[in-house]
């Protein structure tokens, strides 16, 4: 299958990280997903910790979602006209994230971030954006500057094809380092439209914000008349029902969403302050549009997913995530393998390094060949991990204690072979 796909698709895949280049293995072709498990084209079953890179907080193919989707599909797949579903999902988003007073749906996190950048530039009349080294906000030109995720994994954080004139407006600071942000703001006073941040960084591997970092960004932005944009494509509805902004009680001016908001179908969203979002066409002059924006099937999947969120789900995710993170650290210690496990709720990344991982620089000290060896050993034992040291592992409501036990047993075996 990979040979056939490689003859027609660049690298044989439709998103780089899926090609397993960074972990020295042949990509798995999936036949189906069920709960927390994947079944590949050869009939092998895996416990899945990619979960489509985050959207599937309820696991693969939940019965209620399939029922809602088949009923929606019977009414038609797309109209290019408003449906009441879009209003209902926007209201649900605004209830969970009160900072999102107005919401616009798009079809990916990339579209959400690039549109939020356009609104921020229009609202402030300024061109520069500040992002953090190792953070990833999708593949729009402005954000492919020292980007994380697949760009970091493949060692192309600054992609060819991005005009120097565009990259020049993207300024880069160090994650978890307010002084670095202050320095950039001092050097570029009056020219910065917005600071874009993953409030919990997931694209250099998982790096939670240090105490005071997010509140510090809010203070600096207020002082400089700069907009604060939270990219909650990963953390939204995952860190908590109200995302990272609820956990740390910091109110951004704009928020970007994706993944969970679509329940596995293509949905992104951006939104925030009414005065800013009223700039968006047709209520204002900032143009942004999309054939499949607000698609009824995607809205149905998003509604089902957000309505199925519950305190019990977050307790389950926190407990299992905690068990998995602690168990990995224990297993590595017993095997004498240097491992730092960063974790937050149902997100985690084990870094093969002795350094505490707080930013891109410390994440880069991780031994990616050891991660590759872990990946291959776990895959052979029926555990499907993110195929990159610089990604987060995702749990879902469908994962069980038995899945975590099996994963830890397999990890102990993998670490022993590494030591
Ligand atoms: P999409 O365009 O892929 O829907 O979203 C881009 C994006 C924006 N912001 C954050 C914080 C993100 O994590 C992402 C996408 N995440 C990656 C995985 N880290 C998607 C996986 C892939 O690129 O195949």
């Amino acid at each position: 299958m990979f040979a056939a796909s490689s003859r027609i698709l660049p690298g044989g895949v439709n998103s780089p990280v899926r090609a397993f280049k960074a972990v020295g293995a042949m990509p798995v072709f999936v036949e189906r997903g069920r709960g927390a498990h994947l079944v590949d084209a050869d009939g092998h079953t895996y416990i899945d910790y990619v979960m489509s890179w985050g959207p599937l907080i309820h696991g693969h193919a939940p019965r209620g979602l399939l029922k809602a989707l088949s009923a929606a599909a019977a009414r038609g797949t797309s109209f290019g006209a408003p449906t009441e579903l879009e209003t209902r999902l926007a209201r649900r988003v605004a209830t969970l994230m009160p900072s999102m007073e107005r919401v616009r749906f798009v079809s990916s996190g990339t579209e959400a971030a690039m549109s939020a950048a356009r609104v921020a530039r229009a609202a402030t009349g300024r061109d520069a954006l500040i992002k953090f080294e190792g953070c990833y906000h999708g593949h729009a030109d402005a954000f492919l500057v020292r980007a994380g995720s697949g760009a970091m994994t493949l060692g192309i954080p600054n992609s060819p094809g991005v005009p120097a004139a565009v990259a020049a407006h993207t300024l880069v600071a160090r994650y978890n380092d307010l002084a670095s942000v202050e320095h950039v703001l001092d050097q570029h006073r009056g020219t910065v439209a917005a600071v874009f941040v993953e409030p919990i960084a997931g694209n250099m591997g998982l790096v939670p914000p240090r105490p005071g970092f997010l509140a510090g960004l809010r203070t600096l932005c207020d002082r400089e008349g700069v907009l604060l944009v939270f990219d909650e494509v990963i953390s939204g509805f995952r860190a908590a029902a109200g995302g990272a902004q609820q956990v740390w009680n910091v109110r951004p001016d704009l928020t970007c969403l994706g993944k969970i908001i679509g329940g596995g179908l293509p949905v992104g969203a951006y939104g925030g302050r009414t005065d800013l979002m009223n700039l968006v066409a047709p209520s204002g002059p900032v143009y942004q549009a999309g054939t499949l924006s607000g698609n009824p099937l995607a809205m149905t999947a998003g509604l089902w997913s957000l309505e199925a969120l519950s305190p019990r789900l977050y307790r389950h995710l926190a407990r299992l995530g905690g068990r998995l993170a602690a168990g990995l650290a224990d297993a590595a210690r017993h095997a004498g393998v240097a491992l730092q496990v960063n974790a937050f709720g149902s997100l985690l990344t084990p870094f093969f390094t002795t350094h505490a991982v707080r930013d891109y620089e410390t994440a880069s000290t991780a031994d990616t060949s050891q991660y590759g060896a872990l990946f291959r050993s776990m895959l052979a034992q029926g555990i499907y991990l993110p195929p990159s040291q610089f990604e987060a592992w995702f749990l879902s409501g469908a994962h069980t204690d038995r899945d975590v036990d099996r994963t830890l047993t397999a990890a102990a075996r993998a670490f022993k072979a590494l030591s």
Side-chain angles (χ1 to χ4, degrees):
M1 286 184 178
F2 190 44
S5 68
S6 300
R7 285 194 287 273
I8 186 83
L9 304 172
V13 293
N14 283 302
S15 199
V17 70
R18 305 177 188 173
F20 284 17
K21 265 195 166 165
V23 290
M26 179 76 73
V28 163
F29 276 64
V30 175
E31 195 272 321
R32 64 180 300 148
R34 229 184 359 237
H37 304 138
L38 280 182
V39 182
D40 75 11
D42 298 322
H44 300 129
T45 301
Y46 305 88
I47 301 172
D48 182 6
Y49 289 103
V50 176
M51 299 308 286
S52 181
W53 300 99
L56 307 180
I57 196 165
H58 302 296
H60 288 282
R63 221 191 307 280
L65 173 59
L66 299 186
K67 198 160 158 274
L69 272 179
S70 52
R75 293 194 295 271
T77 55
S78 178
F79 310 114
T83 66
E84 202 254 337
L85 288 167
E86 295 150 76
T87 309
R88 280 177 52 203
L89 183 55
R91 281 204 185 119
R92 181 73 180 143
V93 170
T95 303
L96 294 170
M97 292 188 179
S99 75
M100 294 191 81
E101 299 164 356
R102 290 283 184 285
V103 181
R104 168 58 64 86
F105 291 115
V106 292
S107 296
S108 69
T110 291
E111 269 191 280
M114 102 185 172
S115 308
R118 190 174 305 136
V119 170
R121 285 168 156 162
T124 59
R126 301 172 173 183
D127 291 341
L129 301 173
I130 293 177
K131 73 175 287 291
F132 292 89
E133 201 174 21
C135 283
Y136 179 71
H137 306 289
H139 64 85
D141 280 354
F143 293 114
L144 287 183
V145 176
R146 281 193 270 171
S149 186
M152 180 174 182
T153 301
L154 298 177
I156 41 177
N158 307 299
S159 170
V162 175
V166 171
H169 292 300
T170 302
L171 310 171
V172 182
R174 181 197 294 255
Y175 196 78
N176 273 327
D177 180 346
L178 288 169
S180 76
V181 182
E182 199 146 21
H183 176 71
V184 173
L185 286 168
D186 289 346
Q187 298 289 310
H188 301 272
R189 177 146 289 116
T191 68
V192 178
V195 169
F196 271 73
V197 65
E198 291 182 54
I200 304 176
N203 288 294
M204 50 183 123
L206 185 80
V207 179
R210 284 183 131 161
F213 177 60
L214 298 177
L217 289 179
R218 180 69 275 172
T219 304
L220 283 173
C221 286
D222 290 344
R223 190 186 77 191
E224 300 289 329
V226 170
L227 297 177
L228 179 58
V229 185
F230 273 12
D231 178 343
E232 295 227 40
V233 167
I234 286 182
S235 56
F237 318 110
R238 180 168 288 277
Q245 56 195 269
Q246 176 188 3
V247 176
W248 279 279
N249 193 25
V250 173
R251 192 180 178 100
D253 299 299
L254 292 170
T255 297
C256 304
L257 297 171
K259 298 185 193 279
I260 292 172
I261 195 174
L265 270 70
V267 183
Y270 65 103
R273 282 173 26 198
T274 303
D275 62 311
L276 298 175
M277 292 304 289
N278 280 344
L279 290 170
V280 178
S283 50
V286 178
Y287 197 70
Q288 179 269 308
T291 301
L292 295 174
S293 298
N295 170 273
L297 299 191
M299 295 292 104
T300 298
L303 262 172
W304 186 89
S305 294
L306 296 196
E307 284 166 0
L309 299 174
S310 67
R312 184 177 155 281
L313 169 67
Y314 290 104
R315 285 194 300 274
H316 175 76
L317 291 171
R319 187 178 64 78
L320 279 195
R323 271 198 63 213
L324 183 56
L328 289 169
D330 279 349
R333 198 173 23 258
H334 278 106
V337 171
L339 197 79
Q340 302 287 325
V341 184
N342 282 3
F344 188 92
S346 59
L347 296 165
L348 67 95
T349 297
F351 292 93
F352 286 89
T353 178
T354 53
H355 298 272
V357 178
R358 294 264 184 275
D359 53 29
Y360 180 86
E361 191 182 343
T362 44
S364 300
T365 66
D367 181 333
T368 54
S369 60
Q370 282 203 312
Y371 185 86
L374 171 74
F375 176 89
R376 293 190 299 274
S377 167
M378 296 292 267
L379 195 69
Q381 297 183 75
I383 316 287
Y384 187 81
L385 301 181
S388 161
Q389 168 67 91
F390 306 116
E391 295 286 358
W393 297 17
F394 296 91
L395 284 113
S396 77
H399 284 80
T400 63
D401 279 297
R402 191 169 128 64
D403 292 322
V404 170
D405 294 342
R406 276 187 52 207
T407 305
L408 293 176
T409 305
R413 202 168 292 142
F415 289 139
K416 259 202 196 66
L418 280 177
S419 57

